[in-house]
Amino acid sequence: MLKAYLPVLILVLVAAGFAAFAVVASYLLGQHKPTRVKMAPYECGIASPGYGRTRIPLRYYTVAMLFLLFDLEVVFLYPWAVTFKKLGLFGLVEMMVFIGILLVGYIYVWKKGALEWD
Amino acid sequence: MAVLIAKWVIFVITSLLAIVSSLLMITRRNTIHSALFMILAFVASAILYLLLGCQFMAMIQIIVYAGAVMMLILFVIMMIDLSKEEKLKMKVTRTKIAGVIVSVLFMLALILVMGLNSVKGKLGALSSIGDAKTIGTLLFTKYLLPFEVASILLLAAMVGAVMLSKKKAFGGEDQ
């Protein structure tokens, strides 16, 4: 069973190796002449004002919380999708009930304006 | 034999990775660095689940913990201002000493209760129900009611999340 994960392991090793190679090679082969401007965090060409770690509004957290809940819905969809053929129509109805209940929550969230930004 | 050795090597590497990244996570002064080490710890434990034969748990560990929960924690870090705390020097206070003593006692109690024999562990029952297919079959037949109840639990959590963060919708002051 674990043999099926061998390609995943190889992919992880190749990815980690490539990342490490890129960093180490550029460190060893490149020239190092750091100036203040060069070392500044670069985003899109405009000099960044202030400290990078300012406090962000609570709204982001609301979206994050709602995302977590719908992510948990996906967790249930995963074993369902794997066994979909075996369960047949019964499984479909079950999942529709499950999604239906969560859809009520989604409509509630929408109507209460939790997805609005103002 | 070769498979066993390979398994053992992967186990040793990932468990060391989990321990080291957990230690780095709680000792970093920069909270973003802690968060990154936490992802590493989650991924390492996902691999440990995989080695135990719990494929489904491993997937959940990555999707929910390393993905969604991690994002929640990152938003908490971004929401609070820690610039002062990050500059503080490590201080040994009485509370911290007491905390260390209590947690060591708690660990000893856990070891005593579980018994040193059971720490060795046996790979058996779990490995046969660990994959998504078996869990799916059980969840949508035998444990159908808990599954549907879970959706109501998620609904309640959704209402709670909106209630707590959108005071304006309930006639209060929004923040």
Side-chain angles (χ1 to χ4, degrees), chain B residues 3 14 17 20 36 38 48 50 55-56 60 64 67-68 70 75 104 108 120 125 131 137 139 152 161 167 170-172:
Chain B
V3 175
T14 40
L17 190 69
V20 170
L36 288 173
M38 196 171 168
L48 289 178
L50 211 55
Q55 297 167 34
F56 186 66
I60 299 306
V64 176
M70 197 59 239
F75 277 130
V104 167
L108 286 176
K120 276 186 216 153
D131 66 323
T137 316
L139 189 65
I152 297 180
K167 289 219 178 86
F170 295 92

Side-chain angles (χ1 to χ4, degrees), chain B residues 92-114:
Chain B
V92 180
T93 57
R94 254 183 265 170
T95 335
K96 281 180 188 165
I97 295 169
V100 169
I101 294 169
V102 168
S103 33
V104 167
L105 283 176
F106 180 64
M107 193 182 77
L108 286 176
L110 267 184
I111 291 172
L112 281 176
V113 168
M114 285 164 64

